[in-house]
Amino acid sequence: MSLLDLYKDDRELSEDEESEDEFVPDQASDGDASQQGAHASAANTTGTESHSAAKVLTLESMNPNIREMEYAVRGAIPIRAEKLKEQLKTHPGSLPFKQITPCNIGNPQQLEQKPLTFLRQVSALMEYTDLLSPQMIDTTRKLFPEDAIERARRNLAYVGNAVGAYTHSLGIFEVRQDIARFIEERDGFPSNADNICLTSGASGAVERVIDMLVSSPDVGIMIPIPQYPLYTATLAHVNAQAVPYYLQEDNDWQLSIGDLEHSLAEARAKGTDVRALVVINPGNPTGGCLLESNIAEIVRFCQRHRLVIMADEVYQTNIYTGTNPFVSFKKVVAQLGSDVELFSFHSISKGMVGECGRRGGYYEAVNIDDKVMGQLLKLASVSLCPNVQGQMAVGIMVNPPRPGDISYAQYHAEIESIYESMKRRAKKLAKAFNSLPNMSCNDAQGAMYLFPRVELPQAFVEEAKAKGQQPDSLYCMQMLEATGISVVPGSGFGQYPGTFHFRSTFLPPENLFDDFIDGFKRFHLGLIARYSPKI
Amino acid sequence: MSLLDLYKDDRELSEDEESEDEFVPDQASDGDASQQGAHASAANTTGTESHSAAKVLTLESMNPNIREMEYAVRGAIPIRAEKLKEQLKTHPGSLPFKQITPCNIGNPQQLEQKPLTFLRQVSALMEYTDLLSPQMIDTTRKLFPEDAIERARRNLAYVGNAVGAYTHSLGIFEVRQDIARFIEERDGFPSNADNICLTSGASGAVERVIDMLVSSPDVGIMIPIPQYPLYTATLAHVNAQAVPYYLQEDNDWQLSIGDLEHSLAEARAKGTDVRALVVINPGNPTGGCLLESNIAEIVRFCQRHRLVIMADEVYQTNIYTGTNPFVSFKKVVAQLGSDVELFSFHSISKGMVGECGRRGGYYEAVNIDDKVMGQLLKLASVSLCPNVQGQMAVGIMVNPPRPGDISYAQYHAEIESIYESMKRRAKKLAKAFNSLPNMSCNDAQGAMYLFPRVELPQAFVEEAKAKGQQPDSLYCMQMLEATGISVVPGSGFGQYPGTFHFRSTFLPPENLFDDFIDGFKRFHLGLIARYSPKI
């Protein structure tokens, strides 16, 4: 059985599961005005089965590519978690836990991470510009530092004072210039604002680039396994091939060039027109961070085999070890003097900024054909522009207060505090996982996740299979029901056949972290004990 | 020649034009760091022709559906306008006008329309929540009215105080409840929050629904001609058929059911699987507003022929006559007791809110199959959520300050002032157009646009054709070069064969409006004089 076949089997099983369970919440639910089952349990004005059969738009008639998409990060388990959260509100004390702990998604401000003050001050001033008027400015100065006022004025000048107007489709030019300078400072190589496009989060950028790359169902894009499911979802959406390659769990999730060669050769032999390679660095869901030497090998591999590199680098500041610093693909491409085509993605949702709800991100296009750049501009123009405050937040992320600025000390302290806390929590959670029987976990070198491996007892695996469920999905669902902790099963990301994992963020606030770990331990030890052969 | 063929000819001609001119800005430009030509004139690290030939991603290899897309609203003319704007900065006095007047896009805050104060106050407080802290609140009260403070606190409670966190993929539940109440008050029929999905502007909603509807290249969607080019662009993107029907220019842009029947029958006879009908009401680019009786006919037509209705109602509050009030498709569907499937779209970008840059909108799904609703939820979840401040702004639009609230008077006055001014400008511009030879223009009953018809002199038409250009495109480009006014040629929207139009917003500020009209008149009269046969 080849890598591809194994991966397909895995997908098919979880598709079956999800198309039934995940996105079609049962109609027997109490149907009150809660978020759960929203959109699917809605009382349609005409809702009988006989009418439904006559509808134009049905599960059968709709776009089959969308039907085949999966997105486990917001799948069955988080949907169940929403129902339990509602139950805790309406029937307190009816569950064996007091709160839902959402570790399924890297959404730090949901878990009490405070936003960066300077960013929010500047945003607020851009929202309500009367605060900058002669009538109000003296009072405003009592609430806002001078450099935030100055920055707001400067940003407003970029957009003719109107954050409520559409901007250039690629984004505000001055923000793109700031991004280019940030990239130059980071890498030591030139960057050009004209090669940068602001987007609605990095997700929007990734979707757009994949969309551009896929001209037929024969086109394939290499993706890591485990991967962030945006990639398989988007490939399913545009009806292209996911060409998987495995990350090496026993080598801190580095890439093996031998595996890449093997996977590519196999896919091309089958007639797949493999055009690009996705690398997520630091890794989601793995938490791994690639060594510079490994990146150089990957660049050479792509150059050799004519593959566009898609470098998902949204966790570039979430780095927790001295041994594996972040090195950008752009830098390595420049160092090697390579003309390999590269798209690099970044976002305000991750790092210490954590502004997920603001939807800001960008891509840098390197060595991309000029006419293709024109087409990317056209594609951006149909969506008009990304939201302006998201763009402005990218600008602040790449050009924060500098030493000597009034807000520097606070900004720096906030960043450090979030960073140090994440680092502590990453270590602590990995240690907890590694202390348990039937579990092992690589330390997080980067990102916001751990991806522990669970040795599930054979009896549990068989029980899951008898129920037609993925064993790791059943494990995670039972974890949720027992503890209120919501994580994502490894099968949602892909994993080496026969292994089981889950992804957990390490974002719960530190004051709750011990409770979180205790709850998890009780669940895991209880399950192992119940299903292990009695001696 | 059939409607379809005529439309295709039109598209093909303008595609040729655009793939050369519009989205591949010429490489001979001065290449300075200005916005124009961005993304295409970028200095790639390796940019020679010989290298380009070896690239993986090229105009030839890329997704052909994207290559075929057109989007004239941000096409050749606005790109040229950006270049001229830059020239005015770098070489003042070098052009026959002092400023660029961007009438190509409904972007009111770009043209000095002031944002609604209450909306911005609430947004600012949600951005910088320290303003609500006990330490700051007394000072904050000097700058913000109490009801804005209260609203900000309420909104923040919806999202656990975190506008920086992802929300539910369909959007914040309480905002969806407010939308449902707004729809109920507007129409007098029930609406359900679970049937509402917040999106990144109405554009994102339209794209998503079309994407759902299209399962193969045989699927067709009926669109008005003239149309807003988002529709043809999205249909090209998903490789589906645009099935055009003409709006009746000589009947205030109403729909003729006979034409709909004819167009549908013809498309179905050719094997097109026609599944939906798009109606833009009030009309873009036409400014027409459908009578309730006409809407009822359209609903019955769609019911009879099993078509999903896509009602683009983003201009629902931009209504300027007593004779043609806005009536929603939802209301008419409910009145008729119809079970026709309907998606209705709304946005914060238009109306008197005009918050284009914030990217907020929603769709309401009516009579849609439950399982399809589940799939729509899944599709939304891959994009995580629309930006939170955009969602909150939708909430304020549908639930503004009420009589008795502190901010009511100001909110109401701001809305009225914007509304009355738009109405005046609409009338004044239509009057100016109608006062000129070789021009005629329906009054704007709604929306933000006029779509005057221009009788171009035969000599001009022939000159354009000799240049391989659409006559209306050449007319609009010459208007830009002579006056700095940027409008969109009718061929970007589609028009009855042999007729020529352009779309102009009536958004320039009133104090500049006379200059704008004078400049246009001089250009038009000069052109007509130059090209008309000498007597």
Side-chain angles (χ1 to χ4, degrees), chain A residues 303-368:
Chain A
Q303 177 103 43
R304 194 157 64 237
H305 293 293
R306 305 196 65 242
L307 295 169
V308 176
I309 300 175
M310 294 179 62
D312 179 340
E313 300 179 325
V314 300
Y315 297 99
Q316 60 189 262
T317 60
N318 296 93
I319 296 291
Y320 309 113
T321 69
T323 54
N324 293 49
F326 172 73
V327 181
S328 77
F329 270 81
K330 167 76 183 293
K331 179 178 179 179
V332 176
V333 165
Q335 271 173 343
L336 295 175
S338 168
D339 64 355
V340 71
E341 293 151 80
L342 166 69
F343 291 94
S344 162
F345 305 95
H346 198 12
S347 166
I348 55 168
S349 298
K350 310 304 172 186
M352 268 45 77
V353 181
E355 291 281 357
C356 301
R358 200 160 298 253
R359 315 310 297 123
Y362 71 83
Y363 66 78
E364 183 187 21
V366 180
N367 293 330
I368 300 300

Side-chain angles (χ1 to χ4, degrees), chain A residues 432-440 452-457 460 475-476 478-479 482-483 485 500 502 516-532:
Chain A
F433 287 150
N434 281 318
S435 76
L436 292 173
N438 296 46
M439 284 198 81
S440 61
R453 180 168 169 179
V454 188
E455 302 286 341
L456 291 171
F460 183 87
Y475 174 88
C476 293
Q478 292 190 357
M479 187 195 310
T483 66
I485 299 168
F500 302 111
F502 64 87
F516 164 69
I517 289 176
D518 287 349
F520 172 75
K521 277 187 179 173
R522 261 198 311 279
F523 158 74
H524 178 78
L525 291 172
L527 184 141
I528 298 297
R530 275 200 313 286
Y531 284 89
S532 292

Side-chain angles (χ1 to χ4, degrees), chain B residues 249 253 429-430 433-434 439-444 450-453:
Chain B
E249 183 164 14
W253 301 112
L429 188 58
F433 287 151
N434 281 318
M439 283 197 81
S440 60
C441 183
N442 284 331
D443 279 336
L450 292 173
F451 196 63
R453 182 169 167 179

Side-chain angles (χ1 to χ4, degrees), chain B residues 64-227:
Chain B
N65 299 335
I66 295 175
R67 199 171 54 222
E68 298 305 317
M69 282 168 65
E70 292 168 42
Y71 190 67
V73 174
R74 294 198 146 193
I77 290 168
I79 287 174
R80 176 71 185 145
E82 280 176 16
K83 290 201 186 191
L84 293 175
K85 190 175 174 184
E86 198 58 32
Q87 186 180 328
L88 283 174
K89 269 192 215 162
T90 54
H91 301 86
S94 64
L95 291 169
F97 45 86
K98 291 205 182 80
Q99 62 181 355
I100 295 294
T101 311
C103 295
N104 58 300
I105 189 164
N107 192 10
Q109 294 191 23
Q110 180 191 35
L111 284 160
E112 300 178 27
Q113 181 177 305
K114 286 199 70 176
L116 298 172
T117 303
F118 181 77
L119 188 154
R120 294 304 192 87
Q121 287 168 335
V122 176
S123 301
L125 292 166
M126 287 190 288
E127 287 292 345
Y128 184 33
T129 53
D130 289 1
L131 292 173
L132 302 169
S133 68
Q135 295 79 5
M136 290 195 184
I137 190 69
D138 290 341
T139 313
T140 300
R141 287 204 169 98
K142 294 177 186 155
L143 297 170
F144 293 84
E146 199 56 35
D147 58 348
I149 291 172
E150 199 181 292
R151 178 69 73 99
R153 286 203 160 119
R154 185 166 17 130
N155 285 358
L156 283 166
Y158 298 162
V159 292
N161 281 319
V163 294
Y166 297 123
T167 67
H168 191 285
S169 300
L170 298 177
I172 300 158
F173 182 67
E174 290 84 351
V175 171
R176 290 186 283 129
Q177 282 185 310
D178 277 350
I179 295 169
R181 270 191 290 269
F182 156 79
I183 293 170
E184 288 182 357
E185 284 175 25
R186 185 193 65 190
D187 296 339
F189 290 96
S191 173
N192 184 326
D194 288 341
N195 290 336
I196 289 161
C197 176
L198 287 149
T199 53
S200 181
S203 298
V206 166
E207 288 169 338
R208 204 179 284 166
V209 170
I210 290 180
D211 200 1
M212 280 296 288
L213 279 163
V214 174
S215 58
S216 85
D218 294 330
V219 169
I221 294 184
M222 299 186 76
I223 57 162
I225 297 298
Q227 53 110 25

Side-chain angles (χ1 to χ4, degrees), chain A residues 21 100 113 118 130 160 195 325 331 344 356 358 407 464 475 479:
Chain A
D21 298 341
I100 295 294
Q113 179 177 306
F118 181 77
D130 288 1
N195 290 337
K331 179 178 179 179
S344 162
C356 301
R358 200 160 298 253
S407 293
Y475 174 88
M479 187 195 310

Side-chain angles (χ1 to χ4, degrees), chain A residues 33 35 39 42 44-45 51 54 56 61 66 74 169 173 195 211 237 275 306 339 341 367-368 373 378, chain B residues 33 39 42 44-45 51 54 56 61 66 74 168-169 173 195 211 237 275 306 339 367-368 373 378 384:
Chain A
Q35 293 213 17
H39 238 47
N44 274 324
T45 34
H51 267 100
V56 178
S61 71
I66 295 176
R74 294 198 145 191
S169 299
F173 183 67
N195 290 337
D211 201 1
H237 194 171
R275 291 191 173 178
R306 305 196 65 242
D339 64 355
E341 293 151 80
N367 293 330
I368 300 300
M373 296 298 279
K378 178 181 71 174
Chain B
H39 236 47
N44 274 326
T45 33
H51 266 99
V56 177
S61 71
I66 295 175
R74 294 198 146 193
H168 191 285
S169 300
F173 182 67
N195 290 336
D211 200 1
H237 193 171
R275 293 190 172 178
R306 305 196 66 243
D339 65 355
N367 293 330
I368 300 300
M373 295 299 278
K378 178 181 72 177
L384 299 158

